[in-house]
Amino acid sequence: MELTSKKVLLLAVLSAAALFVLTVWLWPRLSKRSWRSVLGRVGLLLATQLAIFLVIGLCVNQSIGAYATWADLFGENKKPGTVTHYKTGPNGTELKALGTAYEGPAGTPAKAPHRS
C-alpha cells in the first residue's frame, strides 16, 4: 500500500474510530482505583490520541505531498530530489530544473556524489 493511497488513510480512520469505541466501551470496566485500571485508561487514551494524530498527519501529507513513499518517510531514500520540466494549472506555470545543490553537515557546501 502506498503512503498516499486512500486505503492507508481509510485504514487509519477505521482504526482511530475503533479505538475510540473501544475506549468508551472499556471505560466503565477500568474505573477502579487499581494501578492496572489506571494504566489501562492511560494506554487506551494514548493509543486513541496517536491514532487520531496519525489520521491528521496522513491527511496533511496527502494535501501537501511532503512524503511520496514509505522510503521518503523513513529516510531510506538517499537520492536528492530534482525538479523536472512540467506545467501545472489551466494556464500552466512552467517549472524547469536549473541545477542541483548538495549540502554537507551544518549547511556547508559538499561535493556532488559520484555517479557511475
Side-chain angles (χ1 to χ4, degrees):
M1 283 193 270
E2 295 278 330
L3 178 63
T4 56
S5 72
K6 291 186 180 183
K7 288 181 183 179
V8 171
L9 182 60
L10 181 63
L11 183 65
V13 168
L14 290 176
S15 66
L19 278 169
F20 175 76
V21 169
L22 186 67
T23 301
V24 171
W25 184 61
L26 289 177
W27 200 261
R29 296 179 190 203
L30 297 173
S31 63
K32 299 173 187 165
R33 289 185 165 258
S34 68
W35 63 272
R36 288 183 181 178
S37 295
V38 172
L39 283 179
R41 289 191 304 255
V42 169
L44 281 172
L45 288 174
L46 184 63
T48 305
Q49 293 287 322
L50 287 174
I52 292 170
F53 183 70
L54 176 68
V55 169
I56 292 170
L58 286 171
C59 287
V60 168
N61 187 51
Q62 279 191 348
S63 68
I64 66 172
Y67 300 102
T69 63
W70 291 103
D72 288 341
L73 179 65
F74 293 118
E76 296 170 358
N77 191 3
K78 301 297 181 190
K79 292 181 180 179
T82 57
V83 177
T84 57
H85 181 76
Y86 66 94
K87 293 183 177 183
T88 61
N91 296 331
T93 305
E94 292 192 28
L95 299 174
K96 186 177 180 181
L98 299 176
T100 306
Y102 298 93
E103 286 188 12
T108 59
K111 293 182 181 179
H114 290 280
R115 294 186 182 174
S116 338

